[in-house]
PDB file of all heavy atoms in Angstrom:
ATOM      1  N   PRO A 125      85.291 115.879 115.696  1.00 98.00           N
ATOM      2  CA  PRO A 125      84.266 116.806 115.191  1.00 98.00           C
ATOM      3  C   PRO A 125      83.430 117.372 116.332  1.00 98.00           C
ATOM      4  O   PRO A 125      83.163 116.697 117.312  1.00 98.00           O
ATOM      5  CB  PRO A 125      83.401 115.928 114.273  1.00 98.00           C
ATOM      6  CG  PRO A 125      83.785 114.525 114.508  1.00 98.00           C
ATOM      7  CD  PRO A 125      85.043 114.488 115.273  1.00 98.00           C
ATOM      8  N   ILE A 155      78.404 121.299 112.123  1.00 98.00           N
ATOM      9  CA  ILE A 155      79.300 120.202 112.498  1.00 98.00           C
ATOM     10  C   ILE A 155      80.685 120.570 111.973  1.00 98.00           C
ATOM     11  O   ILE A 155      80.907 120.646 110.758  1.00 98.00           O
ATOM     12  CB  ILE A 155      78.831 118.846 111.934  1.00 98.00           C
ATOM     13  CG1 ILE A 155      77.393 118.551 112.397  1.00 98.00           C
ATOM     14  CG2 ILE A 155      79.791 117.724 112.385  1.00 98.00           C
ATOM     15  CD1 ILE A 155      76.826 117.218 111.925  1.00 98.00           C
ATOM     16  N   GLY A 157      84.674 120.013 111.527  1.00 98.00           N
ATOM     17  CA  GLY A 157      85.738 119.008 111.540  1.00 98.00           C
ATOM     18  C   GLY A 157      85.331 117.672 110.968  1.00 98.00           C
ATOM     19  O   GLY A 157      85.917 116.651 111.324  1.00 98.00           O
ATOM     20  N   SER A 158      84.339 117.663 110.079  1.00 98.00           N
ATOM     21  CA  SER A 158      84.002 116.410 109.400  1.00 98.00           C
ATOM     22  C   SER A 158      83.677 116.700 107.939  1.00 98.00           C
ATOM     23  O   SER A 158      82.869 117.586 107.643  1.00 98.00           O
ATOM     24  CB  SER A 158      82.799 115.719 110.042  1.00 98.00           C
ATOM     25  OG  SER A 158      82.388 114.640 109.227  1.00 98.00           O
ATOM     26  N   ALA A 159      84.305 115.936 107.050  1.00 98.00           N
ATOM     27  CA  ALA A 159      84.014 116.070 105.620  1.00 98.00           C
ATOM     28  C   ALA A 159      83.018 115.001 105.182  1.00 98.00           C
ATOM     29  O   ALA A 159      82.656 114.921 104.015  1.00 98.00           O
ATOM     30  CB  ALA A 159      85.311 115.935 104.825  1.00 98.00           C
ATOM     31  N   SER A 160      82.569 114.186 106.128  1.00 98.00           N
ATOM     32  CA  SER A 160      81.704 113.055 105.767  1.00 98.00           C
ATOM     33  C   SER A 160      80.333 113.522 105.290  1.00 98.00           C
ATOM     34  O   SER A 160      79.744 114.431 105.889  1.00 98.00           O
ATOM     35  CB  SER A 160      81.516 112.153 106.994  1.00 98.00           C
ATOM     36  OG  SER A 160      80.457 111.263 106.756  1.00 98.00           O
ATOM     37  N   PRO A 161      79.803 112.890 104.245  1.00 98.00           N
ATOM     38  CA  PRO A 161      78.434 113.213 103.834  1.00 98.00           C
ATOM     39  C   PRO A 161      77.415 112.898 104.932  1.00 98.00           C
ATOM     40  O   PRO A 161      76.303 113.434 104.924  1.00 98.00           O
ATOM     41  CB  PRO A 161      78.196 112.341 102.589  1.00 98.00           C
ATOM     42  CG  PRO A 161      79.343 111.405 102.510  1.00 98.00           C
ATOM     43  CD  PRO A 161      80.451 111.921 103.355  1.00 98.00           C
ATOM     44  N   LEU A 162      77.806 112.064 105.901  1.00 98.00           N
ATOM     45  CA  LEU A 162      76.909 111.818 107.043  1.00 98.00           C
ATOM     46  C   LEU A 162      76.660 113.109 107.810  1.00 98.00           C
ATOM     47  O   LEU A 162      75.583 113.310 108.378  1.00 98.00           O
ATOM     48  CB  LEU A 162      77.527 110.796 108.010  1.00 98.00           C
ATOM     49  CG  LEU A 162      77.516 109.329 107.603  1.00 98.00           C
ATOM     50  CD1 LEU A 162      78.214 108.491 108.664  1.00 98.00           C
ATOM     51  CD2 LEU A 162      76.079 108.850 107.390  1.00 98.00           C
ATOM     52  N   ALA A 163      77.672 113.992 107.847  1.00 98.00           N
ATOM     53  CA  ALA A 163      77.515 115.273 108.550  1.00 98.00           C
ATOM     54  C   ALA A 163      76.512 116.160 107.805  1.00 98.00           C
ATOM     55  O   ALA A 163      75.600 116.725 108.417  1.00 98.00           O
ATOM     56  CB  ALA A 163      78.869 115.973 108.687  1.00 98.00           C
ATOM     57  N   ASP A 164      76.652 116.241 106.477  1.00 98.00           N
ATOM     58  CA  ASP A 164      75.694 117.042 105.684  1.00 98.00           C
ATOM     59  C   ASP A 164      74.279 116.495 105.912  1.00 98.00           C
ATOM     60  O   ASP A 164      73.328 117.252 106.098  1.00 98.00           O
ATOM     61  CB  ASP A 164      76.015 116.972 104.187  1.00 98.00           C
ATOM     62  CG  ASP A 164      77.439 117.412 103.877  1.00 98.00           C
ATOM     63  OD1 ASP A 164      78.389 116.731 104.322  1.00 98.00           O
ATOM     64  OD2 ASP A 164      77.610 118.439 103.201  1.00 98.00           O
ATOM     65  N   ALA A 165      74.176 115.153 105.879  1.00 98.00           N
ATOM     66  CA  ALA A 165      72.854 114.526 106.019  1.00 98.00           C
ATOM     67  C   ALA A 165      72.287 114.784 107.417  1.00 98.00           C
ATOM     68  O   ALA A 165      71.090 115.027 107.564  1.00 98.00           O
ATOM     69  CB  ALA A 165      72.950 113.027 105.749  1.00 98.00           C
ATOM     70  N   GLU A 166      73.146 114.765 108.434  1.00 98.00           N
ATOM     71  CA  GLU A 166      72.622 114.993 109.784  1.00 98.00           C
ATOM     72  C   GLU A 166      72.060 116.407 109.926  1.00 98.00           C
ATOM     73  O   GLU A 166      71.026 116.620 110.545  1.00 98.00           O
ATOM     74  CB  GLU A 166      73.696 114.750 110.850  1.00 98.00           C
ATOM     75  CG  GLU A 166      73.134 115.017 112.245  1.00 98.00           C
ATOM     76  CD  GLU A 166      73.938 114.414 113.377  1.00 98.00           C
ATOM     77  OE1 GLU A 166      75.030 113.877 113.135  1.00 98.00           O
ATOM     78  OE2 GLU A 166      73.435 114.488 114.518  1.00 98.00           O
ATOM     79  N   ILE A 167      72.753 117.386 109.322  1.00 98.00           N
ATOM     80  CA  ILE A 167      72.244 118.766 109.378  1.00 98.00           C
ATOM     81  C   ILE A 167      70.864 118.839 108.708  1.00 98.00           C
ATOM     82  O   ILE A 167      69.932 119.466 109.228  1.00 98.00           O
ATOM     83  CB  ILE A 167      73.249 119.739 108.694  1.00 98.00           C
ATOM     84  CG1 ILE A 167      74.573 119.791 109.471  1.00 98.00           C
ATOM     85  CG2 ILE A 167      72.647 121.137 108.528  1.00 98.00           C
ATOM     86  CD1 ILE A 167      74.500 120.498 110.823  1.00 98.00           C
ATOM     87  N   ASN A 275      78.993 113.192  95.601  1.00 98.00           N
ATOM     88  CA  ASN A 275      78.792 113.685  96.970  1.00 98.00           C
ATOM     89  C   ASN A 275      77.287 113.792  97.280  1.00 98.00           C
ATOM     90  O   ASN A 275      76.828 113.346  98.338  1.00 98.00           O
ATOM     91  CB  ASN A 275      79.490 115.043  97.121  1.00 98.00           C
ATOM     92  CG  ASN A 275      79.323 115.633  98.501  1.00 98.00           C
ATOM     93  OD1 ASN A 275      78.758 116.701  98.664  1.00 98.00           O
ATOM     94  ND2 ASN A 275      79.793 114.929  99.531  1.00 98.00           N
ATOM     95  N   ALA A 278      75.873 110.413  97.888  1.00 98.00           N
ATOM     96  CA  ALA A 278      76.226 109.887  99.214  1.00 98.00           C
ATOM     97  C   ALA A 278      75.367 110.556 100.297  1.00 98.00           C
ATOM     98  O   ALA A 278      74.898 109.888 101.232  1.00 98.00           O
ATOM     99  CB  ALA A 278      77.710 110.132  99.497  1.00 98.00           C
ATOM    100  N   ILE A 279      75.115 111.855 100.142  1.00 98.00           N
ATOM    101  CA  ILE A 279      74.255 112.551 101.118  1.00 98.00           C
ATOM    102  C   ILE A 279      72.843 111.974 101.047  1.00 98.00           C
ATOM    103  O   ILE A 279      72.199 111.712 102.064  1.00 98.00           O
ATOM    104  CB  ILE A 279      74.248 114.080 100.850  1.00 98.00           C
ATOM    105  CG1 ILE A 279      75.634 114.667 101.128  1.00 98.00           C
ATOM    106  CG2 ILE A 279      73.187 114.784 101.687  1.00 98.00           C
ATOM    107  CD1 ILE A 279      75.799 116.136 100.716  1.00 98.00           C
ATOM    108  N   ALA A 282      72.673 108.692 102.775  1.00 98.00           N
ATOM    109  CA  ALA A 282      72.701 108.872 104.240  1.00 98.00           C
ATOM    110  C   ALA A 282      71.353 109.400 104.728  1.00 98.00           C
ATOM    111  O   ALA A 282      70.883 109.022 105.800  1.00 98.00           O
ATOM    112  CB  ALA A 282      73.824 109.833 104.628  1.00 98.00           C
ATOM    113  N   ARG A 328      77.986 123.532 103.043  1.00 97.00           N
ATOM    114  CA  ARG A 328      79.330 123.138 103.491  1.00 97.00           C
ATOM    115  C   ARG A 328      80.311 124.259 103.158  1.00 97.00           C
ATOM    116  O   ARG A 328      80.281 124.805 102.060  1.00 97.00           O
ATOM    117  CB  ARG A 328      79.708 121.830 102.781  1.00 97.00           C
ATOM    118  CG  ARG A 328      81.106 121.352 103.068  1.00 97.00           C
ATOM    119  CD  ARG A 328      81.309 119.907 102.654  1.00 97.00           C
ATOM    120  NE  ARG A 328      80.743 118.983 103.622  1.00 97.00           N
ATOM    121  CZ  ARG A 328      81.275 118.716 104.821  1.00 97.00           C
ATOM    122  NH1 ARG A 328      82.381 119.324 105.213  1.00 97.00           N
ATOM    123  NH2 ARG A 328      80.700 117.857 105.625  1.00 97.00           N
ATOM    124  N   ASP A 330      84.203 124.479 103.668  1.00 96.00           N
ATOM    125  CA  ASP A 330      85.403 123.799 104.152  1.00 96.00           C
ATOM    126  C   ASP A 330      86.613 124.721 104.307  1.00 96.00           C
ATOM    127  O   ASP A 330      87.605 124.323 104.918  1.00 96.00           O
ATOM    128  CB  ASP A 330      85.754 122.643 103.199  1.00 96.00           C
ATOM    129  CG  ASP A 330      84.787 121.470 103.367  1.00 96.00           C
ATOM    130  OD1 ASP A 330      84.016 121.480 104.350  1.00 96.00           O
ATOM    131  OD2 ASP A 330      84.798 120.559 102.518  1.00 96.00           O
ATOM    132  N   PRO A 342      87.053 121.076 107.526  1.00 98.00           N
ATOM    133  CA  PRO A 342      85.774 120.903 106.836  1.00 98.00           C
ATOM    134  C   PRO A 342      84.593 121.065 107.781  1.00 98.00           C
ATOM    135  O   PRO A 342      84.601 120.517 108.884  1.00 98.00           O
ATOM    136  CB  PRO A 342      85.843 119.460 106.304  1.00 98.00           C
ATOM    137  CG  PRO A 342      86.865 118.781 107.155  1.00 98.00           C
ATOM    138  CD  PRO A 342      87.840 119.831 107.571  1.00 98.00           C
ATOM    139  N   THR A 343      83.621 121.848 107.366  1.00 98.00           N
ATOM    140  CA  THR A 343      82.490 122.180 108.238  1.00 98.00           C
ATOM    141  C   THR A 343      81.209 122.307 107.418  1.00 98.00           C
ATOM    142  O   THR A 343      81.246 122.787 106.289  1.00 98.00           O
ATOM    143  CB  THR A 343      82.772 123.512 108.979  1.00 98.00           C
ATOM    144  OG1 THR A 343      83.965 123.353 109.739  1.00 98.00           O
ATOM    145  CG2 THR A 343      81.645 123.915 109.908  1.00 98.00           C
ATOM    146  N   VAL A 344      80.110 121.876 108.011  1.00 98.00           N
ATOM    147  CA  VAL A 344      78.817 122.039 107.350  1.00 98.00           C
ATOM    148  C   VAL A 344      77.813 122.522 108.389  1.00 98.00           C
ATOM    149  O   VAL A 344      77.896 122.136 109.560  1.00 98.00           O
ATOM    150  CB  VAL A 344      78.356 120.715 106.677  1.00 98.00           C
ATOM    151  CG1 VAL A 344      78.234 119.569 107.666  1.00 98.00           C
ATOM    152  CG2 VAL A 344      77.052 120.897 105.924  1.00 98.00           C
TER     153      VAL A 344
END
Side-chain angles (χ1 to χ4, degrees):
I155 304 181
S158 171
S160 166
L162 285 178
D164 304 65
E166 179 162 7
I167 295 289
N275 179 241
I279 293 172
R328 176 165 282 286
D330 286 349
T343 301
V344 59

